[in-house]
């Protein structure tokens, strides 16, 4: 029996004051991944942001995410004037996980190490943004469309990184439409679509 | 936390206009005043304390909107919010970085600018002291304002409108400190009051700023 790292019970998520998802429940055990599917606007990003604690859940419970999640959204969080190594070292230091050599190796960034991030191509920036996940040392990865602007070889690199993370006992929740070559459960969010979208009732300022 | 401070300072230096911009703006304001009101000593000396403080305040305002806006746009702020550092600390450190790149150089350069405005000799010590103790409040209040307006497009103007009224107490006591110093009166009282405001903002506004960021990140 694997240990459950992330558990969600009867979660209701809202975006911009509108309820988009309701009754979301799932469990993710150590070493396994969950792939979120659903058409545009079905609430994949909303669910991931709620799990990351960036926005409060309207109702329901999330267990296991306290100081355990690393979230990668649509933006890579890179500073153009800092070099690849400086960008990674900063995030590694902030999460108290100093070793960036492995992350550079995993995403084939060694040759680019001294380049300023603004001179990288879109795909290279994305690789650097994903390498950031490795230096957090966090067990739960929340990835929102991680393969955007990656070429086939880089998608393969990313798949390997996720597999290594899972083998190390981690967990990944990934919103993607691409087959990453990972053995993962699939959660179709369109089945949790809120029946009648309505305004959120929680108090914005004091929640 | 130290890493965040070092990163912000490094960004300010690399992006250009970190240390130099506020200082150059201060210099221009101070140079424009004699052109506007005339260069005679009798006119400049009485208004010098107020003009120097006003110039420092406006120079501080210039770079406020960049405290959080760049981090918000490139997604760093979301990552910072999930990092194992309190968001209150992030706000405080960013205010500190802003002060090191604006308030500190302004304080150090102020005596030179005082010469341009014919500031009487008795005021120089008080000018440096009041700027050193007062400008941290400007950065801290500014960081709070920047946190409030971070998600808005063209929030810069709104930020100025929000922040400038909050600068009034610091401006009153700061300029009064220098004026009393020039007149040979006891300047300690306004200086202590202004320092109290600074400590108050540093104690309270990181929490207010963090709360504003959490709302704006949704």
């Amino acid at each position: 029996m694997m240990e459950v790292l992330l558990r969600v019970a009867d979660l209701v998520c809202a975006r911009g004051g509108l309820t988009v998802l309701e009754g979301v429940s799932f469990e993710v055990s150590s070493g396994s991944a969950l792939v979120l599917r659903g058409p545009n606007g079905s609430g994949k990003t909303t669910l991931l942001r709620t799990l990351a604690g960036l926005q409060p859940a309207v109702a329901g419970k999330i267990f296991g995410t306290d100081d355990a999640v690393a979230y990668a959204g649509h933006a890579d969080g890179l500073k153009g004037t800092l070099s690849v190594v400086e960008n990674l070292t900063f995030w590694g230091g902030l999460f108290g996980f100093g070793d960036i050599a492995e992350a550079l190796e995993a995403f084939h960034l060694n040759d680019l190490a001294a380049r300023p991030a603004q001179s990288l191509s879109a795909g290279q920036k994305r690789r650097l943004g994903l390498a950031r996940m490795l230096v957090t040392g966090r067990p739960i990865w929340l990835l929102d469309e991680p393969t955007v602007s990656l070429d086939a070889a880089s998608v393969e690199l990313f798949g390997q990184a996720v597999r290594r993370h899972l083998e190390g006992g981690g967990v990944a929740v990934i919103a993607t439409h691409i087959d990453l070559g990972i053995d993962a459960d699939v959660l179709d969010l369109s089945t949790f679509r809120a029946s009648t979208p309505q305004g959120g009732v929680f108090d914005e300022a004091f929640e | 936390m130290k890493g965040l401070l070092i990163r912000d300072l490094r960004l300010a230096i690399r992006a250009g206009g970190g240390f130099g911009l506020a200082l150059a703006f201060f210099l221009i304001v101070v140079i424009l005043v004699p052109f506007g009101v005339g260069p005679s000593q009798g006119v400049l000396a009485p208004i010098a304390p107020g003009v120097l403080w006003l110039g420092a305040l406006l120079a501080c305002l210039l770079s406020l909107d960049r405290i959080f806006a760049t981090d918000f746009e490139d997604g760093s702020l979301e990552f910072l919010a999930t990092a194992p550092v309190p968001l209150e600390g992030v706000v405080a450190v960013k205010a500190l970085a802003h002060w090191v790149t604006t308030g500190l150089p302004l304080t150090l350069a102020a005596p030179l600018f005082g010469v341009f405005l014919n500031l009487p000799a008795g005021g120089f010590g008080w000018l440096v002291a009041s700027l050193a103790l007062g400008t941290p409040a400007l950065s801290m209040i500014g960081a709070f304002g920047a946190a409030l307006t971070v998600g808005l497009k063209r929030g810069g103007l709104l930020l100025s409108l929000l922040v400038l009224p909050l600068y009034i107490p610091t401006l009153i006591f700061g300029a009064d400190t220098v004026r009393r110093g020039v007149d040979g009166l006891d300047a300690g009282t306004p200086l202590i009051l202004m320092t109290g405001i600074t400590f108050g903002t540093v104690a309270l506004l990181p929490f207010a700023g963090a709360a504003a960021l959490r709302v704006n990140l949704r």
Side-chain angles (χ1 to χ4, degrees):
Chain A
M1 186 66 191
M2 296 295 264
E3 187 193 358
V4 175
L5 283 191
L6 173 65
R7 188 155 75 82
V8 169
D10 212 17
L11 191 69
V12 180
C13 306
R15 182 75 185 147
L18 282 178
T19 305
V20 289
L21 291 169
E22 56 187 19
V24 183
S25 302
F26 59 82
E27 286 183 349
V28 193
S29 306
S30 170
S32 59
L34 182 72
V35 169
L36 304 179
R37 290 269 156 83
N40 294 141
S42 60
K44 300 187 289 293
T45 298
T46 304
L47 177 58
L48 287 172
R49 288 178 61 88
T50 307
L51 291 178
L54 291 170
Q55 58 184 71
V58 178
K61 287 272 188 291
I62 304 170
F63 302 95
T65 53
D66 285 343
D67 280 338
V69 296
Y71 168 77
H74 297 292
D76 291 317
L78 306 176
K79 290 297 175 193
T81 47
L82 299 183
S83 73
V84 169
V85 165
E86 284 169 338
N87 268 301
L88 272 187
T89 308
F90 165 67
W91 290 115
L94 198 67
F95 280 81
F97 191 83
D99 185 26
I100 65 160
E102 198 186 321
L104 284 175
E105 183 65 40
F107 285 94
H108 291 189
L109 290 165
N110 279 319
D111 296 341
L112 306 169
R115 289 259 295 273
Q118 63 195 3
S119 72
L120 301 181
S121 76
Q124 289 168 333
K125 280 182 186 158
R126 194 70 206 165
R127 263 153 59 196
L128 179 51
L130 293 171
R132 202 177 55 164
M133 304 299 279
L134 287 174
V135 302
T136 61
R138 290 275 174 96
I140 302 176
W141 285 7
L142 305 173
L143 298 151
D144 196 358
E145 301 286 0
T147 54
V148 170
S149 65
L150 289 183
D151 58 21
S154 299
V155 171
E156 177 56 31
L157 281 179
F158 169 67
Q160 286 170 11
V162 173
R163 274 196 295 278
R164 265 198 306 276
H165 176 64
L166 298 179
E167 281 160 16
V171 155
V173 181
I174 309 170
T176 185
H177 292 98
I178 294 181
D179 183 21
L180 297 168
I182 310 168
D183 190 21
D185 301 328
V186 172
L187 187 73
D188 189 351
L189 286 185
S190 52
T191 57
F192 299 109
R193 174 182 291 268
S195 46
T196 47
Q198 54 197 342
V201 288
F202 57 90
D203 190 318
E204 278 276 323
F206 298 100
E207 186 67 27
Chain B
M1 283 307 193
K2 210 175 91 195
L4 181 62
L5 180 65
I6 292 168
R7 180 189 81 141
D8 272 20
L9 293 179
R10 192 180 270 161
L11 285 172
I13 294 166
R14 295 236 180 117
F19 289 97
L21 193 70
L23 214 50
F25 184 79
F26 193 23
L27 176 68
I28 288 174
V29 169
V30 165
I31 286 177
L32 283 181
V33 170
F35 288 126
V37 303
S40 81
Q41 205 168 353
V43 174
L44 278 180
I47 62 167
V51 170
L52 284 167
W53 252 95
L54 209 54
L57 192 146
L58 293 175
C60 225
L61 198 65
L62 270 187
S63 49
L64 280 185
D65 62 334
R66 284 174 38 181
I67 295 183
F68 294 113
T70 51
D71 277 339
F72 180 77
E73 280 158 16
D74 66 19
S76 297
L77 205 53
E78 290 177 345
F79 221 60
L80 278 173
T82 53
V85 290
L87 209 49
E88 289 79 7
V90 171
V91 175
V93 166
K94 292 211 153 252
L96 177 63
H98 180 262
W99 181 75
V100 171
T101 51
T102 57
L104 185 61
L106 289 181
T107 304
L108 297 177
L112 177 67
F113 296 161
V115 174
F116 292 158
L117 289 178
N118 252 319
L119 185 73
F124 282 94
W126 293 110
L127 176 66
V128 174
S130 66
L131 283 175
L133 293 169
T135 47
L138 303 184
S139 292
M140 195 64 244
I141 294 170
F144 166 63
L148 270 180
T149 56
V150 72
L152 304 174
K153 297 219 158 33
R154 306 189 183 187
L157 186 62
L158 182 63
L159 173 61
S160 309
L161 291 178
L162 282 174
V163 157
L164 278 176
L166 298 176
Y167 279 178
I168 291 172
T170 300
L171 173 65
I172 290 174
F173 292 123
D176 200 42
T177 302
V178 185
R179 203 173 302 119
R180 279 167 170 260
V182 169
D183 296 341
L185 300 169
D186 174 28
T189 311
L191 188 67
I192 289 169
L193 280 170
M194 192 195 63
T195 310
I197 293 170
T198 301
F199 284 142
T201 58
V202 171
L204 296 176
L205 289 183
F207 296 94
L213 281 183
R214 286 200 187 94
V215 170
N216 279 331
L217 273 176
R218 282 176 194 166

